[in-house]
Amino acid sequence: MTTIPDQLITHNGSFHADEVFAVAILQRLKGAHLHITRTRHPDLLGKVIKDSSVLVVDVGLMYDPAHNNFDHHQDRDLKSAAGLVWEHFGLQLCGGNTDVALLVQESLIDLVDQTDTNQNNILKTIDEHLPGGTAGTVSGLIGAFNREPDNDALQMEQFDKAVKTAATFLENTLYEAEKIVAQKPIWETRQMLTPQVVRLEQYCKGWKRWAALEPSIRFCLVPRASKNELVEGQQWQLTTIDAEAYPLPTLETMQAGVSNANDIEFAHKARFLAVFNNEATALEVVKLL
């Protein structure tokens, strides 16, 4: 297990999601607040990049994990600071569970990486397809904590706030990933109703992740996690893995194809989810797929 130093240096001025998340990762792993200095002073950086007792993140033009240097600006093929830190410490933070570490990377760290390094010209794609552009991304939300770049004291206060917010994102993502991995045995005991419809005995949060490994699976029938107190017994929900490619039938089609239309509690207009008051009605709709 790697020991996390007490001292961390990152750049001053405007801060970005990659170093903010890198700090949040390191602080969570350390279990204590790091002493952070924000500077670009070349003499100081020249010393600390040779000193493994100091973490140097997103500054210093050096990627050398053995000496705790995690900058990427000297090589466009490197991940962002968050990605480099996660690559080196992520598995340790996840208790050695590779499935959890990979899920956190895919669902959070890679989002920061792609935006920060503009992988595959992602910024253009975001601006074209996401209302508000990058302001609506994780990187945009963290970047909004910035104030005046030349006001060091205020920026330090804002940086701390941003790190706390990133820590909350990280905590939530870890929780989700751990839960998804813990529920994998539910998926492994699935029943195939048809070659494209799987039935699960329990609600399984990560079913789409596991189903993606089996391209023939398009729909999932599962007991509903939340309960309508006005309905006796277990409700069931039918979900599609891709509403664009494999939409559920319309509400009208489902109502015409079941014995009791009143047992269809809800059918989303986007045709990705439907909820039924009993399994028998849900199975009638499965026959329509």
Side-chain angles (χ1 to χ4, degrees):
M1 181 177 293
T2 305
T3 301
I4 307 300
D6 299 320
Q7 306 288 320
L8 183 146
I9 290 180
T10 188
H11 62 79
N12 59 354
S14 296
F15 50 82
H16 312 98
D18 69 323
E19 77 265 25
V20 168
F21 271 95
V23 171
I25 292 165
L26 292 164
Q27 284 193 166
R28 184 179 180 91
L29 190 56
K30 185 173 182 60
H33 189 76
L34 296 166
H35 183 272
I36 299 170
T37 301
R38 301 184 70 238
T39 183
R40 295 183 188 273
H41 197 290
D43 291 343
L44 177 58
L45 292 174
K47 294 177 181 177
V48 294
I49 60 173
K50 302 173 184 177
D51 184 355
S52 59
S53 68
V54 180
L55 293 153
V56 185
V57 175
D58 209 39
V59 71
L61 300 178
M62 179 68 68
Y63 174 51
D64 180 7
H67 288 88
N68 286 319
N69 298 317
F70 299 95
D71 195 13
H72 64 106
H73 294 99
Q74 70 280 4
D75 186 343
R76 65 177 297 174
D77 292 326
L78 286 174
K79 297 180 178 182
S80 74
L84 297 179
V85 167
W86 186 259
E87 193 172 74
H88 193 66
F89 294 105
L91 187 59
Q92 183 177 337
L93 184 59
C94 296
N97 192 313
T98 55
D99 284 336
V100 172
L102 183 58
L103 266 176
V104 174
Q105 177 182 319
E106 291 176 350
S107 55
L108 180 61
I109 306 302
D110 283 351
L111 299 180
V112 177
D113 265 354
Q114 290 174 7
T115 305
D116 189 86
T117 60
N118 195 25
Q119 293 174 21
N120 303 314
N121 202 20
I122 191 67
L123 296 178
K124 183 175 185 293
T125 302
I126 289 172
D127 288 339
E128 289 177 348
H129 298 284
L130 182 69
T134 54
T137 65
V138 172
S139 294
L141 294 171
I142 294 298
F145 281 91
N146 277 287
R147 295 298 184 262
E148 299 303 321
D150 59 350
N151 187 332
D152 291 342
L154 179 57
Q155 280 292 82
M156 191 68 238
E157 291 179 13
Q158 293 300 113
F159 183 83
D160 285 339
K161 291 178 183 178
V163 170
K164 289 177 182 177
T165 299
T168 300
F169 279 124
L170 180 63
E171 178 183 2
N172 293 342
T173 306
L174 281 164
Y175 172 83
E176 291 284 296
E178 289 167 356
K179 189 167 186 178
I180 287 171
V181 172
Q183 290 182 342
K184 189 176 181 181
I186 298 173
W187 176 257
E188 292 173 339
T189 59
R190 64 194 177 277
Q191 173 190 0
M192 297 305 303
L193 298 176
T194 74
Q196 62 179 3
V197 184
V198 64
R199 176 190 179 277
L200 302 178
E201 288 288 348
Q202 296 174 253
Y203 178 77
C204 182
K205 194 173 190 66
W207 78 268
K208 287 189 177 182
R209 174 174 178 78
W210 313 123
L213 303 176
E214 302 178 46
S216 64
I217 296 177
R218 299 176 180 178
F219 306 94
C220 183
L221 180 64
V222 62
R224 195 179 190 195
S226 56
K227 180 170 175 55
N228 182 342
E229 291 81 1
L230 301 178
V231 177
E232 292 186 10
Q234 177 65 58
Q235 290 185 300
W236 288 72
Q237 71 182 44
L238 184 63
T239 310
T240 176
I241 197 167
D242 184 341
E244 187 70 24
Y246 315 114
L248 293 177
T250 64
L251 174 59
E252 292 74 19
T253 300
M254 286 192 282
Q255 288 173 331
V258 302
S259 303
N260 187 349
N262 291 329
D263 282 333
I264 304 172
E265 180 180 278
F266 174 75
H268 201 286
K269 289 291 185 180
R271 299 172 65 181
F272 69 89
L273 171 72
V275 178
F276 308 94
N277 291 337
N278 53 65
E279 186 179 10
T281 303
L283 290 173
E284 288 180 316
V285 172
V286 167
K287 294 178 181 179
L288 302 176
L289 300 174

